Amino acid sequence: MTHSFAAPSRSAGRRPGRTLPWGLLRELDRPSDLFRHLGPNWFASVMGTGITANAAATLPVHAPGLRTAATAVWALAALLLVALTAAWGVHWTRHREQARAHADHPVAAYFWGAPAMALITVGAGSLSLGSDWIGPHAALGVDAVLWTAGTVLGLVTAVWIPYRVMTGTGVPADAAFGGWLMPVVPPMVSAATGAALVPHLAPGQGRLILLLGCYAMFGISLFASVVIITQIWGRLVRHGIGPAAMVPTLWIVLGPLGQSVTAANLLGNVAHLALPHPDAAAAQAFGFLYGVPTWGFAMMWLALAASVTARTLRTGLPFSLTWWSFTFPAGTCVTGTSALAVHLGSTPLKVAAVALYGLLVAAWLTVAARTAAHSARGGLFKPAQAPAPAPGPPAPATGAR
């Protein structure tokens, strides 16, 4: 998997020029090149940091200092979102050709779903954690704005990227990989986090529209994900694991699974605010009836992904931004497990939620530290080629390399 998805720089092969003090960005030809190949996959770092904070707020157990630490991590995610958005603005202003090429790249195009989920994740954290620091009124306003922006962008990517694939030149039989899920998962994230906004609307059509809209987005993402996960399973069975650099993307499958369990239960909890009693009771029961079987499959996939990752680590797993795939999907398993534990009052599920959160924190600390180190040297800002066999192009090759 690439670090930054783009065509090779025109300065490739040039002798390194002057760098910043203390060797910062020393692997770049010039410091300004950090904006040249800034792909949408960078927003996965916001997703992973945000879910690490948000998942702590959902845990069915409470530990001293955990909420304060989680709020600090949420604030870090918010700062990362602001910084990356500003940097991406520079990228689009100065390097428009490379920015447009991301939509034609055989890997980067699918990661257009990351900015939408980054917005929604930080917005959800503002309501569940940030209200302690910025006040409930401001937190609600931030969440409403970011949720709306992320939802609109996510609905666009859920149609736009699959459309480019379907109207492009076709993909090889062994092309399916976890990244295919990235553009279609944002509506599920909107559904799960939109549940927290339902009580803040006045009773009536507003609440009903939001609730039904969240359930509709639940369906958009669920059925698209089932189709894609089936293809990923088929590719793994017929063609094997593939390049080591692609292994972290196996964890992305956990994203729609865990997030759908979260959404089904959280929407069921607020359904009574907009639906008559029989329908609300059915919605709440659906959270359990759908959630437990899906959670079981998610745990099976977690075991498979962990086993493949451990096997690959023994032979060498190169670091790249795809390592952030270890964080957000695992975080959705935490929120889904916590939602089921609260719904059912299950002690084993409470233990599982805490254990999964421990895994999430360990993954986030590891990936965040490596990202910071590689970013300081500048290596993550350099373009690289997608590994072979690479997933087929989502559109006619205009700008893809």
Side-chain angles (χ1 to χ4, degrees):
M1 188 64 62
T2 58
H3 292 172
S4 295
F5 302 113
S9 171
R10 292 186 180 92
S11 60
R14 180 184 303 172
R15 293 180 61 188
R18 296 179 61 187
T19 59
L20 297 175
W22 307 294
L24 293 176
L25 305 180
R26 61 182 178 274
E27 295 182 14
L28 297 179
D29 292 326
R30 60 177 79 87
S32 61
D33 280 350
L34 72 91
F35 299 107
R36 183 177 296 276
H37 305 292
L38 201 68
N41 54 325
W42 272 94
F43 285 89
S45 62
V46 180
M47 295 166 53
T49 303
I51 198 70
T52 302
N54 297 354
T58 70
L59 288 175
V61 297
H62 304 283
L66 178 61
R67 184 175 179 85
T68 300
T71 306
V73 174
W74 164 78
L76 175 60
L79 290 174
L80 282 173
L81 178 62
V82 172
L84 277 175
T85 301
W88 219 30
V90 175
H91 170 67
W92 273 90
T93 302
R94 297 182 180 177
H95 310 289
R96 191 173 298 272
E97 181 181 348
Q98 284 89 344
R100 289 175 174 172
H102 290 147
D104 297 322
H105 193 279
V107 174
Y110 300 105
F111 286 85
W112 265 93
M117 289 186 279
L119 290 168
I120 299 168
T121 302
V122 172
S126 72
L127 195 58
S128 62
L129 294 167
S131 58
D132 294 348
W133 290 7
I134 64 177
H137 182 74
L140 178 60
V142 170
D143 188 21
V145 170
L146 294 183
W147 184 87
T148 301
T151 296
V152 171
L153 180 57
L155 289 172
V156 168
T157 66
V159 176
W160 173 46
I161 299 301
Y163 170 80
R164 292 182 68 85
V165 176
M166 296 172 186
T167 59
T169 57
V171 296
D174 61 346
F177 78 118
W180 280 19
L181 291 163
M182 290 294 290
V184 301
V185 173
M188 187 66 79
V189 181
S190 293
T193 56
L197 292 172
V198 171
H200 295 280
L201 293 178
Q205 285 297 308
R207 279 184 178 176
L208 181 61
I209 290 172
L210 179 57
L211 181 69
L212 296 181
C214 287
Y215 271 112
M217 289 187 288
F218 175 94
I220 290 172
S221 188
L222 175 63
F223 291 111
S225 296
V226 168
V227 171
I228 294 171
I229 292 172
T230 302
Q231 295 180 73
I232 294 171
W233 185 288
R235 194 268 294 176
L236 292 171
V237 171
R238 294 185 177 90
H239 302 283
I241 302 301
M246 300 291 285
V247 167
T249 65
L250 291 176
W251 291 70
I252 298 177
V253 173
L254 295 172
L257 298 175
Q259 198 70 292
S260 65
V261 175
T262 306
N265 282 274
L266 295 185
L267 290 172
N269 290 342
V270 298
H272 68 280
L273 298 175
L275 298 177
H277 175 70
D279 296 333
Q284 192 167 29
F286 174 73
F288 157 67
L289 295 175
Y290 169 85
V292 174
T294 304
W295 182 86
F297 180 74
M299 293 303 100
M300 186 198 72
W301 190 275
L302 174 62
L304 284 172
S307 298
V308 171
T309 302
R311 174 178 175 268
T312 306
L313 280 169
R314 291 195 294 268
T315 58
L317 180 58
F319 177 77
S320 72
L321 288 175
T322 54
W323 280 39
W324 283 99
S325 302
F326 297 136
T327 57
F328 187 84
T332 67
C333 290
V334 176
T335 59
T337 305
S338 296
L340 281 175
V342 172
H343 186 156
L344 301 173
S346 169
T347 299
L349 285 174
K350 291 179 181 180
V351 174
V354 174
L356 287 170
Y357 188 69
L359 174 66
L360 170 62
V361 171
W364 177 72
L365 289 172
T366 300
V367 179
R370 291 207 174 195
T371 301
H374 284 259
S375 297
R377 295 195 298 267
L380 285 182
F381 300 103
K382 297 173 65 175
Q385 298 299 310
T398 56
R401 298 294 188 268

